[in-house]
Amino acid sequence: GAVVSQHPSRVICKSGTSVKIECRSLDFQATTMFWYRQFPKQSLMLMATSNEGSKATYEQGVEKDKFLINHASLTLSTLTVTSAHPEDSSFYICSARDRDRGYNEQFFGPGTRLTVL
Amino acid sequence: QQQVKQSPQSLIVQKGGISIINCAYENTAFDYFPWYQQFPGKGPALLIAIRPDVSEKKEGRFTISFNKSAKQFSLHIMDSQPGDSATYFCAARNQAGTALIFGKGTTLSVSS
C-alpha cells in the first residue's frame, strides 16, 4: 500500500512550451501533496505545498505563475511548468500524505525527469 | 533555523562495516525525523524514522540514534552491503502536515 505514481517518468520539450506532470496516490487519499525539485547531486528543495480543493502555497523564490499546481481531487495533483526554459530542467518529485495513516507518513513518487532543450 | 545539516557528504565503507551518517538541527519545534534512501533516477524511499521522545530506534540493520539535548540524530547501517550504496537524506518536520526539510545528502559507497 501507500503508492504514489508520477507521469510521465521523463519528458523532453522545447524551450517555451508547457509541460504537465501528474502525481497520483494510488491506494490512499492524500489531503496534502508536496512538490520538490532536485538538481543533480543535490538535495530535494520544496517548491510548494498543495492541499486538496485550495490554492497551493509556494516557497519563497518559486514563481507561482510559472509552476502551476492544481490539487483537484484527493488522489491527484498536477504541476504545470509553463514556458519552460533550459534552467527548468530538473528532477521533479511529488510526495503525498496519507490522510488516514497519521500525519507522520509521507510517501514519495518515483520522480519526473524534465529536460528542456 | 529551518536547516538540517548533514555530514559527511560522501562515505566509503567496506562490505560488512558500519556506515554512520550524522545530522544536526536548530529548530526545537521539529518533532519528526525520518531518513530516506535514494537510488539514481528514483524517488526517495523512507528507511526509518524517529520521534524526539525516543533515543533510539532499530529496524533490521538500520538504527537511528537521537540526542535531543544536542539536537543531533544519526543513522547507523550495520553490516553494510554493496546494495546499500545510495544517497541518504535525513529530514525533519516541525508540525503535522508540513513538508519535510532535507539535509544535503550523503553518498554512500560500500565496496565489496
PDB file of all heavy atoms in Angstrom, chain B residues 8-46:
ATOM      1  N   PRO B   8      28.799  12.947   6.712  1.00  0.00           N
ATOM      2  CA  PRO B   8      29.634  13.585   5.707  1.00  0.00           C
ATOM      3  C   PRO B   8      28.907  13.686   4.367  1.00  0.00           C
ATOM      4  O   PRO B   8      27.827  13.137   4.199  1.00  0.00           O
ATOM      5  CB  PRO B   8      30.814  12.611   5.598  1.00  0.00           C
ATOM      6  CG  PRO B   8      30.184  11.272   5.860  1.00  0.00           C
ATOM      7  CD  PRO B   8      29.128  11.518   6.881  1.00  0.00           C
ATOM      8  N   GLN B   9      29.499  14.360   3.433  1.00  0.00           N
ATOM      9  CA  GLN B   9      28.920  14.483   2.101  1.00  0.00           C
ATOM     10  C   GLN B   9      29.029  13.164   1.348  1.00  0.00           C
ATOM     11  O   GLN B   9      28.146  12.808   0.573  1.00  0.00           O
ATOM     12  CB  GLN B   9      29.641  15.594   1.335  1.00  0.00           C
ATOM     13  CG  GLN B   9      29.048  15.903  -0.026  1.00  0.00           C
ATOM     14  CD  GLN B   9      29.756  17.074  -0.682  1.00  0.00           C
ATOM     15  OE1 GLN B   9      30.664  17.694  -0.101  1.00  0.00           O
ATOM     16  NE2 GLN B   9      29.352  17.405  -1.888  1.00  0.00           N
ATOM     17  N   SER B  10      30.125  12.437   1.576  1.00  0.00           N
ATOM     18  CA  SER B  10      30.295  11.133   0.958  1.00  0.00           C
ATOM     19  C   SER B  10      30.991  10.215   1.933  1.00  0.00           C
ATOM     20  O   SER B  10      31.710  10.659   2.844  1.00  0.00           O
ATOM     21  CB  SER B  10      31.076  11.250  -0.357  1.00  0.00           C
ATOM     22  OG  SER B  10      32.366  11.744  -0.115  1.00  0.00           O
ATOM     23  N   LEU B  11      30.789   8.918   1.713  1.00  0.00           N
ATOM     24  CA  LEU B  11      31.280   7.923   2.662  1.00  0.00           C
ATOM     25  C   LEU B  11      31.581   6.642   1.912  1.00  0.00           C
ATOM     26  O   LEU B  11      30.759   6.179   1.106  1.00  0.00           O
ATOM     27  CB  LEU B  11      30.201   7.691   3.731  1.00  0.00           C
ATOM     28  CG  LEU B  11      30.457   6.718   4.862  1.00  0.00           C
ATOM     29  CD1 LEU B  11      31.642   7.188   5.708  1.00  0.00           C
ATOM     30  CD2 LEU B  11      29.204   6.611   5.732  1.00  0.00           C
ATOM     31  N   ILE B  12      32.743   6.089   2.176  1.00  0.00           N
ATOM     32  CA  ILE B  12      33.114   4.799   1.597  1.00  0.00           C
ATOM     33  C   ILE B  12      33.326   3.819   2.735  1.00  0.00           C
ATOM     34  O   ILE B  12      34.098   4.092   3.658  1.00  0.00           O
ATOM     35  CB  ILE B  12      34.385   4.903   0.735  1.00  0.00           C
ATOM     36  CG1 ILE B  12      34.166   5.879  -0.421  1.00  0.00           C
ATOM     37  CG2 ILE B  12      34.769   3.528   0.192  1.00  0.00           C
ATOM     38  CD1 ILE B  12      35.420   6.145  -1.241  1.00  0.00           C
ATOM     39  N   VAL B  13      32.638   2.704   2.663  1.00  0.00           N
ATOM     40  CA  VAL B  13      32.694   1.704   3.731  1.00  0.00           C
ATOM     41  C   VAL B  13      32.940   0.336   3.122  1.00  0.00           C
ATOM     42  O   VAL B  13      32.424   0.032   2.034  1.00  0.00           O
ATOM     43  CB  VAL B  13      31.374   1.718   4.533  1.00  0.00           C
ATOM     44  CG1 VAL B  13      31.325   0.592   5.541  1.00  0.00           C
ATOM     45  CG2 VAL B  13      31.193   3.055   5.234  1.00  0.00           C
ATOM     46  N   GLN B  14      33.708  -0.461   3.818  1.00  0.00           N
ATOM     47  CA  GLN B  14      33.933  -1.833   3.369  1.00  0.00           C
ATOM     48  C   GLN B  14      32.686  -2.671   3.641  1.00  0.00           C
ATOM     49  O   GLN B  14      31.953  -2.440   4.615  1.00  0.00           O
ATOM     50  CB  GLN B  14      35.113  -2.444   4.123  1.00  0.00           C
ATOM     51  CG  GLN B  14      36.432  -1.783   3.831  1.00  0.00           C
ATOM     52  CD  GLN B  14      37.201  -2.503   2.729  1.00  0.00           C
ATOM     53  OE1 GLN B  14      36.667  -3.390   2.082  1.00  0.00           O
ATOM     54  NE2 GLN B  14      38.449  -2.115   2.526  1.00  0.00           N
ATOM     55  N   LYS B  15      32.493  -3.647   2.789  1.00  0.00           N
ATOM     56  CA  LYS B  15      31.387  -4.589   2.997  1.00  0.00           C
ATOM     57  C   LYS B  15      31.486  -5.199   4.385  1.00  0.00           C
ATOM     58  O   LYS B  15      32.554  -5.638   4.811  1.00  0.00           O
ATOM     59  CB  LYS B  15      31.438  -5.678   1.928  1.00  0.00           C
ATOM     60  CG  LYS B  15      30.349  -6.728   2.049  1.00  0.00           C
ATOM     61  CD  LYS B  15      30.492  -7.803   0.973  1.00  0.00           C
ATOM     62  CE  LYS B  15      29.454  -8.887   1.156  1.00  0.00           C
ATOM     63  NZ  LYS B  15      29.594  -9.966   0.139  1.00  0.00           N
ATOM     64  N   GLY B  16      30.358  -5.202   5.083  1.00  0.00           N
ATOM     65  CA  GLY B  16      30.336  -5.744   6.429  1.00  0.00           C
ATOM     66  C   GLY B  16      30.599  -4.707   7.517  1.00  0.00           C
ATOM     67  O   GLY B  16      30.380  -4.986   8.699  1.00  0.00           O
ATOM     68  N   GLY B  17      31.014  -3.525   7.119  1.00  0.00           N
ATOM     69  CA  GLY B  17      31.314  -2.473   8.080  1.00  0.00           C
ATOM     70  C   GLY B  17      30.074  -1.695   8.503  1.00  0.00           C
ATOM     71  O   GLY B  17      28.956  -1.972   8.061  1.00  0.00           O
ATOM     72  N   ILE B  18      30.298  -0.725   9.365  1.00  0.00           N
ATOM     73  CA  ILE B  18      29.204   0.115   9.856  1.00  0.00           C
ATOM     74  C   ILE B  18      29.277   1.483   9.177  1.00  0.00           C
ATOM     75  O   ILE B  18      30.323   2.130   9.184  1.00  0.00           O
ATOM     76  CB  ILE B  18      29.283   0.296  11.382  1.00  0.00           C
ATOM     77  CG1 ILE B  18      29.256  -1.064  12.083  1.00  0.00           C
ATOM     78  CG2 ILE B  18      28.124   1.177  11.876  1.00  0.00           C
ATOM     79  CD1 ILE B  18      29.486  -0.974  13.575  1.00  0.00           C
ATOM     80  N   SER B  19      28.182   1.889   8.609  1.00  0.00           N
ATOM     81  CA  SER B  19      28.093   3.226   7.989  1.00  0.00           C
ATOM     82  C   SER B  19      27.375   4.144   8.975  1.00  0.00           C
ATOM     83  O   SER B  19      26.332   3.781   9.514  1.00  0.00           O
ATOM     84  CB  SER B  19      27.312   3.170   6.684  1.00  0.00           C
ATOM     85  OG  SER B  19      27.874   2.238   5.785  1.00  0.00           O
ATOM     86  N   ILE B  20      27.938   5.311   9.191  1.00  0.00           N
ATOM     87  CA  ILE B  20      27.351   6.264  10.139  1.00  0.00           C
ATOM     88  C   ILE B  20      27.211   7.622   9.463  1.00  0.00           C
ATOM     89  O   ILE B  20      28.188   8.170   8.941  1.00  0.00           O
ATOM     90  CB  ILE B  20      28.205   6.413  11.412  1.00  0.00           C
ATOM     91  CG1 ILE B  20      28.376   5.057  12.100  1.00  0.00           C
ATOM     92  CG2 ILE B  20      27.559   7.423  12.368  1.00  0.00           C
ATOM     93  CD1 ILE B  20      29.316   5.078  13.284  1.00  0.00           C
ATOM     94  N   ILE B  21      26.006   8.140   9.481  1.00  0.00           N
ATOM     95  CA  ILE B  21      25.707   9.445   8.888  1.00  0.00           C
ATOM     96  C   ILE B  21      25.051  10.296   9.963  1.00  0.00           C
ATOM     97  O   ILE B  21      24.179   9.817  10.688  1.00  0.00           O
ATOM     98  CB  ILE B  21      24.774   9.313   7.678  1.00  0.00           C
ATOM     99  CG1 ILE B  21      25.352   8.341   6.643  1.00  0.00           C
ATOM    100  CG2 ILE B  21      24.549  10.678   7.025  1.00  0.00           C
ATOM    101  CD1 ILE B  21      24.399   7.982   5.523  1.00  0.00           C
ATOM    102  N   ASN B  22      25.495  11.538  10.058  1.00  0.00           N
ATOM    103  CA  ASN B  22      25.040  12.405  11.125  1.00  0.00           C
ATOM    104  C   ASN B  22      24.252  13.610  10.618  1.00  0.00           C
ATOM    105  O   ASN B  22      24.531  14.122   9.538  1.00  0.00           O
ATOM    106  CB  ASN B  22      26.245  12.921  11.916  1.00  0.00           C
ATOM    107  CG  ASN B  22      27.061  11.788  12.504  1.00  0.00           C
ATOM    108  OD1 ASN B  22      26.573  11.022  13.323  1.00  0.00           O
ATOM    109  ND2 ASN B  22      28.311  11.669  12.071  1.00  0.00           N
ATOM    110  N   CYS B  23      23.303  14.040  11.425  1.00  0.00           N
ATOM    111  CA  CYS B  23      22.539  15.244  11.111  1.00  0.00           C
ATOM    112  C   CYS B  23      22.344  16.076  12.368  1.00  0.00           C
ATOM    113  O   CYS B  23      22.257  15.529  13.478  1.00  0.00           O
ATOM    114  CB  CYS B  23      21.190  14.901  10.497  1.00  0.00           C
ATOM    115  SG  CYS B  23      21.325  14.441   8.762  1.00  0.00           S
ATOM    116  N   ALA B  24      22.275  17.383  12.181  1.00  0.00           N
ATOM    117  CA  ALA B  24      22.064  18.297  13.293  1.00  0.00           C
ATOM    118  C   ALA B  24      21.025  19.332  12.892  1.00  0.00           C
ATOM    119  O   ALA B  24      20.899  19.673  11.715  1.00  0.00           O
ATOM    120  CB  ALA B  24      23.380  18.978  13.677  1.00  0.00           C
ATOM    121  N   TYR B  25      20.285  19.811  13.867  1.00  0.00           N
ATOM    122  CA  TYR B  25      19.248  20.791  13.591  1.00  0.00           C
ATOM    123  C   TYR B  25      19.241  21.847  14.690  1.00  0.00           C
ATOM    124  O   TYR B  25      19.833  21.664  15.748  1.00  0.00           O
ATOM    125  CB  TYR B  25      17.877  20.099  13.486  1.00  0.00           C
ATOM    126  CG  TYR B  25      17.433  19.443  14.778  1.00  0.00           C
ATOM    127  CD1 TYR B  25      16.565  20.086  15.653  1.00  0.00           C
ATOM    128  CD2 TYR B  25      17.894  18.169  15.127  1.00  0.00           C
ATOM    129  CE1 TYR B  25      16.165  19.495  16.833  1.00  0.00           C
ATOM    130  CE2 TYR B  25      17.507  17.570  16.301  1.00  0.00           C
ATOM    131  CZ  TYR B  25      16.633  18.227  17.154  1.00  0.00           C
ATOM    132  OH  TYR B  25      16.241  17.638  18.334  1.00  0.00           O
ATOM    133  N   GLU B  26      18.566  22.949  14.413  1.00  0.00           N
ATOM    134  CA  GLU B  26      18.478  24.039  15.388  1.00  0.00           C
ATOM    135  C   GLU B  26      17.060  24.228  15.925  1.00  0.00           C
ATOM    136  O   GLU B  26      16.875  24.598  17.075  1.00  0.00           O
ATOM    137  CB  GLU B  26      18.956  25.348  14.749  1.00  0.00           C
ATOM    138  CG  GLU B  26      20.457  25.425  14.490  1.00  0.00           C
ATOM    139  CD  GLU B  26      21.239  25.398  15.797  1.00  0.00           C
ATOM    140  OE1 GLU B  26      20.759  25.992  16.791  1.00  0.00           O
ATOM    141  OE2 GLU B  26      22.331  24.781  15.823  1.00  0.00           O
ATOM    142  N   ASN B  27      16.084  23.979  15.063  1.00  0.00           N
ATOM    143  CA  ASN B  27      14.704  24.276  15.429  1.00  0.00           C
ATOM    144  C   ASN B  27      14.162  23.239  16.409  1.00  0.00           C
ATOM    145  O   ASN B  27      13.931  22.088  16.048  1.00  0.00           O
ATOM    146  CB  ASN B  27      13.841  24.312  14.164  1.00  0.00           C
ATOM    147  CG  ASN B  27      12.447  24.848  14.418  1.00  0.00           C
ATOM    148  OD1 ASN B  27      11.998  24.901  15.558  1.00  0.00           O
ATOM    149  ND2 ASN B  27      11.769  25.243  13.358  1.00  0.00           N
ATOM    150  N   THR B  28      13.934  23.630  17.646  1.00  0.00           N
ATOM    151  CA  THR B  28      13.451  22.696  18.655  1.00  0.00           C
ATOM    152  C   THR B  28      11.986  22.320  18.453  1.00  0.00           C
ATOM    153  O   THR B  28      11.464  21.456  19.151  1.00  0.00           O
ATOM    154  CB  THR B  28      13.623  23.297  20.058  1.00  0.00           C
ATOM    155  OG1 THR B  28      12.959  24.574  20.106  1.00  0.00           O
ATOM    156  CG2 THR B  28      15.096  23.498  20.395  1.00  0.00           C
ATOM    157  N   ALA B  29      11.334  22.956  17.501  1.00  0.00           N
ATOM    158  CA  ALA B  29       9.944  22.603  17.189  1.00  0.00           C
ATOM    159  C   ALA B  29       9.851  21.396  16.269  1.00  0.00           C
ATOM    160  O   ALA B  29       8.762  20.865  16.056  1.00  0.00           O
ATOM    161  CB  ALA B  29       9.230  23.792  16.570  1.00  0.00           C
ATOM    162  N   PHE B  30      10.971  20.951  15.714  1.00  0.00           N
ATOM    163  CA  PHE B  30      10.937  19.754  14.881  1.00  0.00           C
ATOM    164  C   PHE B  30      10.513  18.567  15.745  1.00  0.00           C
ATOM    165  O   PHE B  30      11.003  18.385  16.856  1.00  0.00           O
ATOM    166  CB  PHE B  30      12.315  19.458  14.289  1.00  0.00           C
ATOM    167  CG  PHE B  30      12.730  20.389  13.179  1.00  0.00           C
ATOM    168  CD1 PHE B  30      14.069  20.666  12.960  1.00  0.00           C
ATOM    169  CD2 PHE B  30      11.801  20.959  12.327  1.00  0.00           C
ATOM    170  CE1 PHE B  30      14.475  21.504  11.931  1.00  0.00           C
ATOM    171  CE2 PHE B  30      12.187  21.797  11.301  1.00  0.00           C
ATOM    172  CZ  PHE B  30      13.533  22.073  11.108  1.00  0.00           C
ATOM    173  N   ASP B  31       9.609  17.754  15.213  1.00  0.00           N
ATOM    174  CA  ASP B  31       9.125  16.634  16.015  1.00  0.00           C
ATOM    175  C   ASP B  31       9.063  15.313  15.268  1.00  0.00           C
ATOM    176  O   ASP B  31       8.459  14.351  15.751  1.00  0.00           O
ATOM    177  CB  ASP B  31       7.759  16.966  16.618  1.00  0.00           C
ATOM    178  CG  ASP B  31       6.680  17.086  15.555  1.00  0.00           C
ATOM    179  OD1 ASP B  31       7.019  17.079  14.347  1.00  0.00           O
ATOM    180  OD2 ASP B  31       5.502  17.172  15.927  1.00  0.00           O
ATOM    181  N   TYR B  32       9.671  15.268  14.120  1.00  0.00           N
ATOM    182  CA  TYR B  32       9.663  14.027  13.342  1.00  0.00           C
ATOM    183  C   TYR B  32      10.906  14.021  12.480  1.00  0.00           C
ATOM    184  O   TYR B  32      11.179  15.000  11.770  1.00  0.00           O
ATOM    185  CB  TYR B  32       8.390  13.970  12.485  1.00  0.00           C
ATOM    186  CG  TYR B  32       8.318  12.801  11.526  1.00  0.00           C
ATOM    187  CD1 TYR B  32       8.227  11.486  11.982  1.00  0.00           C
ATOM    188  CD2 TYR B  32       8.303  13.012  10.151  1.00  0.00           C
ATOM    189  CE1 TYR B  32       8.140  10.425  11.097  1.00  0.00           C
ATOM    190  CE2 TYR B  32       8.225  11.960   9.267  1.00  0.00           C
ATOM    191  CZ  TYR B  32       8.137  10.677   9.738  1.00  0.00           C
ATOM    192  OH  TYR B  32       8.050   9.617   8.872  1.00  0.00           O
ATOM    193  N   PHE B  33      11.686  12.912  12.567  1.00  0.00           N
ATOM    194  CA  PHE B  33      12.996  12.856  11.923  1.00  0.00           C
ATOM    195  C   PHE B  33      13.125  11.556  11.131  1.00  0.00           C
ATOM    196  O   PHE B  33      13.474  10.518  11.669  1.00  0.00           O
ATOM    197  CB  PHE B  33      14.104  12.944  12.977  1.00  0.00           C
ATOM    198  CG  PHE B  33      14.015  14.176  13.833  1.00  0.00           C
ATOM    199  CD1 PHE B  33      13.257  14.174  14.999  1.00  0.00           C
ATOM    200  CD2 PHE B  33      14.673  15.338  13.467  1.00  0.00           C
ATOM    201  CE1 PHE B  33      13.167  15.315  15.792  1.00  0.00           C
ATOM    202  CE2 PHE B  33      14.595  16.476  14.247  1.00  0.00           C
ATOM    203  CZ  PHE B  33      13.836  16.471  15.411  1.00  0.00           C
ATOM    204  N   PRO B  34      12.857  11.613   9.841  1.00  0.00           N
ATOM    205  CA  PRO B  34      12.997  10.412   9.005  1.00  0.00           C
ATOM    206  C   PRO B  34      14.316  10.386   8.250  1.00  0.00           C
ATOM    207  O   PRO B  34      14.968  11.416   8.063  1.00  0.00           O
ATOM    208  CB  PRO B  34      11.831  10.557   8.027  1.00  0.00           C
ATOM    209  CG  PRO B  34      11.698  12.046   7.852  1.00  0.00           C
ATOM    210  CD  PRO B  34      12.126  12.667   9.168  1.00  0.00           C
ATOM    211  N   TRP B  35      14.683   9.196   7.824  1.00  0.00           N
ATOM    212  CA  TRP B  35      15.817   9.016   6.928  1.00  0.00           C
ATOM    213  C   TRP B  35      15.284   8.395   5.640  1.00  0.00           C
ATOM    214  O   TRP B  35      14.478   7.460   5.673  1.00  0.00           O
ATOM    215  CB  TRP B  35      16.862   8.088   7.540  1.00  0.00           C
ATOM    216  CG  TRP B  35      17.697   8.742   8.591  1.00  0.00           C
ATOM    217  CD1 TRP B  35      17.439   8.811   9.926  1.00  0.00           C
ATOM    218  CD2 TRP B  35      18.931   9.436   8.398  1.00  0.00           C
ATOM    219  NE1 TRP B  35      18.436   9.500  10.574  1.00  0.00           N
ATOM    220  CE2 TRP B  35      19.372   9.895   9.666  1.00  0.00           C
ATOM    221  CE3 TRP B  35      19.727   9.715   7.277  1.00  0.00           C
ATOM    222  CZ2 TRP B  35      20.552  10.607   9.844  1.00  0.00           C
ATOM    223  CZ3 TRP B  35      20.905  10.418   7.454  1.00  0.00           C
ATOM    224  CH2 TRP B  35      21.311  10.858   8.721  1.00  0.00           C
ATOM    225  N   TYR B  36      15.792   8.911   4.517  1.00  0.00           N
ATOM    226  CA  TYR B  36      15.383   8.395   3.218  1.00  0.00           C
ATOM    227  C   TYR B  36      16.601   7.869   2.462  1.00  0.00           C
ATOM    228  O   TYR B  36      17.718   8.375   2.595  1.00  0.00           O
ATOM    229  CB  TYR B  36      14.711   9.495   2.390  1.00  0.00           C
ATOM    230  CG  TYR B  36      13.314   9.828   2.835  1.00  0.00           C
ATOM    231  CD1 TYR B  36      13.085  10.732   3.864  1.00  0.00           C
ATOM    232  CD2 TYR B  36      12.215   9.205   2.242  1.00  0.00           C
ATOM    233  CE1 TYR B  36      11.793  11.026   4.274  1.00  0.00           C
ATOM    234  CE2 TYR B  36      10.928   9.493   2.651  1.00  0.00           C
ATOM    235  CZ  TYR B  36      10.728  10.402   3.667  1.00  0.00           C
ATOM    236  OH  TYR B  36       9.449  10.690   4.078  1.00  0.00           O
ATOM    237  N   GLN B  37      16.332   6.874   1.644  1.00  0.00           N
ATOM    238  CA  GLN B  37      17.346   6.298   0.762  1.00  0.00           C
ATOM    239  C   GLN B  37      16.927   6.576  -0.674  1.00  0.00           C
ATOM    240  O   GLN B  37      15.757   6.385  -1.029  1.00  0.00           O
ATOM    241  CB  GLN B  37      17.427   4.776   0.997  1.00  0.00           C
ATOM    242  CG  GLN B  37      18.409   4.032   0.118  1.00  0.00           C
ATOM    243  CD  GLN B  37      18.226   2.526   0.292  1.00  0.00           C
ATOM    244  OE1 GLN B  37      17.163   1.986   0.045  1.00  0.00           O
ATOM    245  NE2 GLN B  37      19.297   1.841   0.707  1.00  0.00           N
ATOM    246  N   GLN B  38      17.857   7.044  -1.476  1.00  0.00           N
ATOM    247  CA  GLN B  38      17.533   7.338  -2.858  1.00  0.00           C
ATOM    248  C   GLN B  38      18.576   6.740  -3.789  1.00  0.00           C
ATOM    249  O   GLN B  38      19.771   6.978  -3.639  1.00  0.00           O
ATOM    250  CB  GLN B  38      17.435   8.854  -3.089  1.00  0.00           C
ATOM    251  CG  GLN B  38      16.972   9.222  -4.499  1.00  0.00           C
ATOM    252  CD  GLN B  38      16.870  10.718  -4.722  1.00  0.00           C
ATOM    253  OE1 GLN B  38      17.639  11.492  -4.168  1.00  0.00           O
ATOM    254  NE2 GLN B  38      15.919  11.143  -5.540  1.00  0.00           N
ATOM    255  N   PHE B  39      18.088   5.982  -4.770  1.00  0.00           N
ATOM    256  CA  PHE B  39      18.947   5.461  -5.827  1.00  0.00           C
ATOM    257  C   PHE B  39      18.853   6.402  -7.028  1.00  0.00           C
ATOM    258  O   PHE B  39      17.861   7.109  -7.189  1.00  0.00           O
ATOM    259  CB  PHE B  39      18.526   4.043  -6.205  1.00  0.00           C
ATOM    260  CG  PHE B  39      18.779   3.045  -5.103  1.00  0.00           C
ATOM    261  CD1 PHE B  39      17.734   2.580  -4.315  1.00  0.00           C
ATOM    262  CD2 PHE B  39      20.059   2.576  -4.852  1.00  0.00           C
ATOM    263  CE1 PHE B  39      17.963   1.673  -3.291  1.00  0.00           C
ATOM    264  CE2 PHE B  39      20.301   1.666  -3.832  1.00  0.00           C
ATOM    265  CZ  PHE B  39      19.242   1.226  -3.044  1.00  0.00           C
ATOM    266  N   PRO B  40      19.889   6.427  -7.872  1.00  0.00           N
ATOM    267  CA  PRO B  40      19.896   7.354  -9.017  1.00  0.00           C
ATOM    268  C   PRO B  40      18.653   7.222  -9.885  1.00  0.00           C
ATOM    269  O   PRO B  40      18.248   6.116 -10.243  1.00  0.00           O
ATOM    270  CB  PRO B  40      21.163   6.924  -9.784  1.00  0.00           C
ATOM    271  CG  PRO B  40      22.052   6.360  -8.731  1.00  0.00           C
ATOM    272  CD  PRO B  40      21.142   5.651  -7.773  1.00  0.00           C
ATOM    273  N   GLY B  41      18.033   8.348 -10.178  1.00  0.00           N
ATOM    274  CA  GLY B  41      16.873   8.362 -11.053  1.00  0.00           C
ATOM    275  C   GLY B  41      15.584   7.904 -10.404  1.00  0.00           C
ATOM    276  O   GLY B  41      14.569   7.746 -11.086  1.00  0.00           O
ATOM    277  N   LYS B  42      15.605   7.702  -9.104  1.00  0.00           N
ATOM    278  CA  LYS B  42      14.409   7.238  -8.379  1.00  0.00           C
ATOM    279  C   LYS B  42      14.021   8.243  -7.311  1.00  0.00           C
ATOM    280  O   LYS B  42      14.819   9.068  -6.883  1.00  0.00           O
ATOM    281  CB  LYS B  42      14.688   5.879  -7.711  1.00  0.00           C
ATOM    282  CG  LYS B  42      15.170   4.808  -8.658  1.00  0.00           C
ATOM    283  CD  LYS B  42      14.117   4.425  -9.673  1.00  0.00           C
ATOM    284  CE  LYS B  42      14.605   3.289 -10.561  1.00  0.00           C
ATOM    285  NZ  LYS B  42      13.609   2.961 -11.617  1.00  0.00           N
ATOM    286  N   GLY B  43      12.769   8.145  -6.864  1.00  0.00           N
ATOM    287  CA  GLY B  43      12.339   8.971  -5.751  1.00  0.00           C
ATOM    288  C   GLY B  43      12.881   8.426  -4.440  1.00  0.00           C
ATOM    289  O   GLY B  43      13.263   7.265  -4.344  1.00  0.00           O
ATOM    290  N   PRO B  44      12.929   9.262  -3.409  1.00  0.00           N
ATOM    291  CA  PRO B  44      13.418   8.782  -2.113  1.00  0.00           C
ATOM    292  C   PRO B  44      12.434   7.809  -1.470  1.00  0.00           C
ATOM    293  O   PRO B  44      11.216   7.958  -1.622  1.00  0.00           O
ATOM    294  CB  PRO B  44      13.543  10.069  -1.285  1.00  0.00           C
ATOM    295  CG  PRO B  44      12.740  11.090  -1.994  1.00  0.00           C
ATOM    296  CD  PRO B  44      12.582  10.675  -3.407  1.00  0.00           C
ATOM    297  N   ALA B  45      12.972   6.856  -0.746  1.00  0.00           N
ATOM    298  CA  ALA B  45      12.156   5.861  -0.055  1.00  0.00           C
ATOM    299  C   ALA B  45      12.445   5.942   1.431  1.00  0.00           C
ATOM    300  O   ALA B  45      13.606   6.003   1.843  1.00  0.00           O
ATOM    301  CB  ALA B  45      12.451   4.466  -0.582  1.00  0.00           C
ATOM    302  N   LEU B  46      11.398   5.940   2.227  1.00  0.00           N
ATOM    303  CA  LEU B  46      11.560   6.018   3.675  1.00  0.00           C
ATOM    304  C   LEU B  46      12.244   4.764   4.210  1.00  0.00           C
ATOM    305  O   LEU B  46      11.838   3.647   3.933  1.00  0.00           O
ATOM    306  CB  LEU B  46      10.194   6.176   4.341  1.00  0.00           C
ATOM    307  CG  LEU B  46      10.195   6.227   5.870  1.00  0.00           C
ATOM    308  CD1 LEU B  46      10.915   7.481   6.358  1.00  0.00           C
ATOM    309  CD2 LEU B  46       8.766   6.192   6.403  1.00  0.00           C
TER     310      LEU B  46
END
